[in-house]
Amino acid sequence: MNPQLEIQLIAIFIATACALPGVFLVLRKMTMMSDSISHTTLLGIVLAFFIVHDLSSPFLVVGAAAMGVITVWLTESLHKTKLVSEDSSIGIVFPLLFSIAVILISKYAGSVHLDSDSVLEGDLVSAPFYRLELFGVSIGAKYIYISLFYLILNIVLIAVFFKELKVSAFDPMLASVLGFSPILLHYGLMSLVSITAVGAFEAVGSILVIAFMAGPPVTAYLLTDDLKKMLFISGGMGALNAVLGFQLARFFDVSISGAMAVMTGVTFLIVFIFAPQRGLISIALRRKRQKLSFGMLNLLIHLLSHENSEYETREAEHCSLANHLHWHEGYARKIVDKLIIEKLIVVENGILKLTDTGRTYTSNEYSKIFNN
Amino acid sequence: MMDILSRLNNYTTIVVALGAAVLGMISGVIGSYSVIRKQSLIGDGVSHSALPGVVLAFMMTGNKSTEVLLLGALVAGILAAGFIIGIVKNSRIKFDSALALVMSVFFGTGLVLLSIVQKTPDSAQAGLSRFIFGQVSAILKRDVYIMTIVSAVLILLVILFWKEFKLFSFDPEYAHTLGFKPMRLNLLLMLMTVFTIIIGLQTVGVILMSAMLIAPGVAARQWTDRLWLMIVLSAVFGAGAGVIGAFSSSLAEKLPTGPAIVVVISIIVLISILIAPNRGLISKALRRRKSKKGWLEKGVKGGDII
């Protein structure tokens, strides 16, 4: 397989694997836990290294993932004292564990290449150099299989525990009433997040793991209200960002993982602005429409209530209307024009009058509001 | 003993300790507001977001002086904070998700820019990423001056807007009904936080900066329910941790200053949570035991009556 394609595949697998558990982090308002975990795994790696004295040992990954779970446990214990808020607990635990890791490295492992720099950007470019051999035949980059394993692990676990995860994400009380242990689920999810984060940061670095875990789910969150759809969109978005980012990086010859994070931001921004219901544009349009229809109904009811009264001349005079209702001139004109076009009102001798259709329509709307 | 004293009485150590103390103090003060407003992780977010600003400032000017890079970091930090506020205000996305997204995307952008800079043959770009990962032991006298001036301005602002910030931090809706502009106060506080983070960034680095904004405030919160006392205590804890951390790193071999400060402030948090009167875990446990005993005695008396 060509190395470029291999890197692209690894990127897609990793990005998708991160995007899936990220959905639950976003829904449980625990996104920053991924930041915390991706920092503290360094301590896990350091401690595991002190035990096995081998930087390539798979035991380091185990240590890192275990430290992720320990981080979650420490953070929760601190929060459970009710003396420290959740976000502060995160912000106290991870700098401490990270600092201990840095101190240990500089004190005892100064000669080993194990510094915070190397966890920063990851090493996707050199991934194709490490081949997996089966019966003496190279069957592709080792990391392709590793990342595929992480992806499948996530898909399988989330599919199997979908119902449990769903209930506990939206209603932890109900989950525990139904007999799922929220604590067990919580730690299960967090272990999955740690394992995935560790797997991913070898490739893309610790900070960008956060982009992969937070970006696609948040983007999907703006597009749907259905958890299943959100998972699919999130996974798809992750893969899309990986493809676009890698092509961008190849084209401009820049950092691959950085470019993937940039594309995560770009796709989010596009959705944030253009999303069908929750996008900036559709929100603005909806507000404008609501403002207009509110004004129209307002004027109609105003006219109805003063119809044929002695003050009608004063209340419904066309030219002084804006002033009378404290409306902007342009707004008032727009509303009157629109109502005339819809044949709900007419202007007679400078006075606004309801047409027959207008009167029926208004009294209907009026009773809808007040008589429920 | 003389050896220890002479080691502590060394010019570099004293400058580092002074710098750490000023930084600890101001982040203790400003961080108290972030802690109260449950936005403590903003420090982490903004400090990571500074990277593209630092690199871009270098790319545009070719200059690596502290002022230029700080300005770049500041602009990027403010932009990131603006994005976070904008996203939270205009969608159903929560603060923590917006923070995680914005900070990681900004950081990724920084890495992309860094990889462009690194292609240029001259080696002037070396150490740009170091800028946001900081090095406490490299604090210069000039940095301490900059920190002191910025801190003085920030503290002045805190005093000037005391009433507004207090009200806004605890009850933004009420502040709004009283006619204060919550958006403006939010922006001002955010801006002050970004300033604090940026002056600390190049000396203590990203990770330490997020700890310095949170831990002193959390520790101080355990001892008191009054805002002014909390802020004063928080400043003292922050400054104290800075000094102790700096001195202990100059005494011990190969002990990096930044992480040492984090460990010290974390110990202060732990002690506060345990022994603070009223709120502390120990005093809570004692109180519970006493009331249990009281109820038992009453129960016995009740039994006697029956």
Side-chain angles (χ1 to χ4, degrees):
Chain A
M1 222 187 294
N2 124 15
Q4 299 288 350
L5 187 63
E6 287 185 338
I7 297 177
Q8 178 68 87
L9 275 180
I10 295 171
I12 293 176
F13 292 157
I14 285 293
T16 316
C18 287
L20 295 177
V23 167
F24 295 98
L25 289 181
V26 167
L27 290 176
R28 291 164 160 240
K29 302 188 198 72
M30 291 181 52
T31 325
M32 285 308 278
M33 203 60 121
S34 66
D35 176 36
S36 173
I37 289 175
S38 69
H39 281 103
T40 55
T41 41
L42 182 65
L43 181 59
I45 292 176
V46 173
L47 291 179
F49 173 74
F50 284 151
I51 298 171
V52 295
H53 289 284
D54 176 13
L55 260 184
S56 57
S57 158
F59 194 61
L60 296 194
V61 178
V62 179
M67 191 49 75
V69 179
I70 292 175
T71 308
V72 175
W73 177 74
L74 282 176
T75 311
E76 308 254 292
S77 312
L78 196 57
H79 177 52
K80 273 204 196 110
T81 62
K82 293 191 183 137
L83 299 176
V84 185
S85 68
E86 192 159 18
D87 59 324
S88 297
S89 313
I90 295 178
I92 286 173
V93 170
F94 91 80
L96 175 63
L97 297 186
F98 189 78
S99 297
I100 294 175
V102 174
I103 291 175
L104 287 177
I105 291 173
S106 71
K107 261 190 121 57
Y108 303 108
S111 53
V112 194
H113 180 68
L114 211 184
D115 60 335
S116 39
D117 257 19
S118 63
V119 293
L120 211 143
E121 201 175 346
D123 201 8
L124 206 47
V125 186
S126 61
F129 292 120
Y130 305 99
R131 315 297 301 180
L132 188 69
E133 289 189 2
L134 204 62
F135 309 117
V137 187
S138 160
I139 52 164
K142 197 168 138 196
Y143 210 78
I144 291 189
Y145 296 95
I146 299 179
S147 56
L148 188 60
F149 166 74
Y150 285 119
L151 177 58
I152 293 173
L153 184 74
N154 272 290
I155 294 177
V156 168
L157 285 179
I158 290 177
V160 169
F161 294 105
F162 180 74
K163 189 176 67 227
E164 286 82 355
L165 285 168
K166 182 176 178 177
V167 177
S168 74
F170 294 106
D171 196 341
M173 291 293 186
L174 180 64
S176 73
V177 170
L178 291 177
F180 318 135
S181 158
I183 296 173
L184 206 64
L185 268 174
H186 179 67
Y187 281 100
L189 179 65
M190 282 314 179
S191 316
L192 188 61
V193 169
S194 310
I195 294 169
T196 314
V198 173
F201 93 41
E202 274 183 72
V204 296
S206 63
I207 311 292
L208 299 180
V209 170
I210 307 162
F212 289 179
M213 285 205 173
V218 166
T219 313
Y221 193 44
L222 292 176
L223 289 170
T224 178
D225 282 332
D226 180 313
L227 180 60
K228 241 179 226 162
K229 280 186 196 149
M230 190 172 161
L231 279 165
F232 279 111
I233 296 176
S234 178
M237 275 285 174
L240 180 71
N241 293 334
V243 173
L244 293 177
F246 180 62
Q247 297 307 328
L248 183 80
R250 225 167 51 153
F251 191 75
F252 292 104
D253 187 21
V254 292
S255 151
I256 299 175
S257 43
M260 289 198 279
V262 170
M263 286 323 295
T264 307
V266 170
T267 48
F268 168 76
L269 214 58
I270 291 174
V271 170
F272 184 65
I273 296 173
F274 297 105
Q277 274 165 36
R278 301 181 205 284
L280 275 190
I281 292 182
S282 59
I283 291 175
L285 284 179
R286 195 183 321 135
R287 281 202 190 131
K288 211 173 145 189
R289 216 168 39 232
Q290 278 170 347
K291 197 177 164 193
L292 198 67
S293 66
F294 172 77
M296 282 162 65
L297 193 61
N298 210 343
L299 179 60
L300 287 173
I301 292 177
H302 178 76
L303 292 178
L304 184 70
S305 63
H306 293 289
E307 203 170 32
N308 302 326
S309 77
E310 47 182 316
Y311 303 118
E312 196 180 359
T313 348
R314 194 186 71 201
E315 296 289 336
E317 199 179 19
H318 187 195
C319 54
S320 64
L321 181 75
N323 212 356
H324 181 72
L325 292 174
H326 298 289
W327 280 351
H328 286 293
E329 201 66 63
Y331 180 59
R333 198 178 311 128
K334 209 152 110 199
I335 285 173
V336 170
D337 286 351
K338 203 141 191 242
L339 287 174
I340 290 176
I341 291 170
E342 289 185 13
K343 298 213 167 59
L344 295 173
I345 60 171
V346 285
V347 186
E348 279 176 18
N349 307 327
I351 307 282
L352 298 175
K353 294 242 179 220
L354 289 169
T355 60
D356 289 339
T357 13
R359 198 169 301 114
T360 347
Y361 172 79
T362 314
S363 34
N364 274 344
E365 289 296 310
Y366 184 86
S367 56
K368 240 193 254 169
I369 297 172
F370 292 101
N371 303 335
N372 217 356
Chain B
M1 190 62 203
M2 282 313 285
D3 184 43
I4 291 178
L5 274 182
S6 72
R7 271 212 218 173
L8 291 183
N9 194 14
N10 153 323
Y11 176 77
T12 328
T13 313
I14 289 182
V15 171
V16 170
L18 261 181
V22 172
L23 202 63
M25 187 228 17
I26 189 62
S27 42
V29 172
I30 303 294
S32 294
Y33 288 106
S34 321
V35 168
I36 293 171
R37 299 177 62 209
K38 301 204 192 315
Q39 300 190 340
S40 348
L41 291 169
I42 188 77
D44 193 38
V46 168
S47 46
H48 280 99
S49 307
L51 182 64
V54 172
V55 185
L56 211 56
F58 171 74
M59 284 166 93
M60 280 159 59
T61 60
N63 188 331
K64 222 170 68 175
S65 71
T66 312
E67 289 82 357
V68 172
L69 299 189
L70 270 187
L71 197 68
L74 192 65
V75 172
I78 292 173
L79 203 64
F83 264 115
I84 295 168
I85 296 181
I87 290 175
V88 172
K89 192 164 176 276
N90 291 304
S91 73
R92 57 172 174 172
I93 297 168
K94 302 289 177 304
F95 180 79
D96 68 312
S97 299
L99 184 64
L101 177 75
V102 170
M103 88 177 213
S104 55
V105 169
F106 266 64
F107 193 82
T109 314
L111 287 184
V112 167
L113 294 174
L114 209 55
S115 64
I116 294 174
V117 175
Q118 273 156 0
K119 274 187 288 187
T120 54
D122 73 302
S123 58
Q125 92 279 355
L128 274 183
S129 67
R130 275 263 152 266
F131 188 81
I132 76 160
F133 289 97
Q135 218 160 11
V136 188
S137 45
I139 295 187
L140 301 174
K141 215 167 151 189
R142 210 176 52 147
D143 300 331
V144 180
Y145 286 144
I146 298 181
M147 281 180 206
T148 314
I149 293 168
V150 175
S151 309
V153 173
L154 291 177
I155 288 180
L156 197 70
L157 280 173
V158 168
I159 295 171
L160 273 178
F161 290 97
W162 176 256
K163 189 176 66 221
E164 284 84 352
F165 284 161
K166 184 175 176 177
L167 183 58
F168 177 67
S169 303
F170 288 103
D171 199 341
E173 279 86 23
Y174 185 48
H176 197 178
T177 60
L178 286 184
F180 297 113
K181 299 270 178 297
M183 212 51 207
R184 272 185 223 170
L185 286 176
N186 193 5
L187 277 179
L188 182 61
L189 256 182
M190 199 69 124
L191 206 65
M192 289 164 67
T193 316
V194 173
F195 258 98
T196 312
I197 295 166
I198 300 300
I199 56 166
L201 206 52
Q202 62 143 343
T203 38
V204 300
V206 179
I207 311 290
L208 176 54
M209 207 48 229
S210 33
M212 285 311 260
L213 272 180
I214 302 170
V218 169
R221 174 69 188 90
Q222 313 309 325
W223 298 88
T224 173
D225 285 335
R226 309 199 67 89
L227 182 64
W228 70 269
L229 199 56
M230 171 179 168
I231 287 183
V232 170
L233 272 177
S234 173
V236 171
F237 287 153
V243 174
I244 298 174
F247 280 156
S248 53
S249 103
S250 72
L251 288 178
E253 285 285 319
K254 285 194 202 162
L255 181 62
T257 320
I261 298 177
V262 175
V263 172
V264 173
I265 192 70
S266 304
I267 293 174
I268 297 181
V269 170
L270 195 67
I271 294 175
S272 304
I273 286 180
L274 285 178
I275 67 164
N278 284 327
R279 276 174 69 99
L281 290 183
I282 293 180
S283 93
K284 239 185 219 163
L286 284 180
R287 214 166 38 232
R288 200 167 296 153
R289 221 171 94 185
K290 212 171 128 192
S291 70
K292 196 176 168 190
K293 219 169 129 192
W295 280 111
L296 278 177
E297 276 167 10
K298 268 188 204 161
V300 170
K301 270 186 201 157
D304 284 350
I305 294 166
I306 291 166

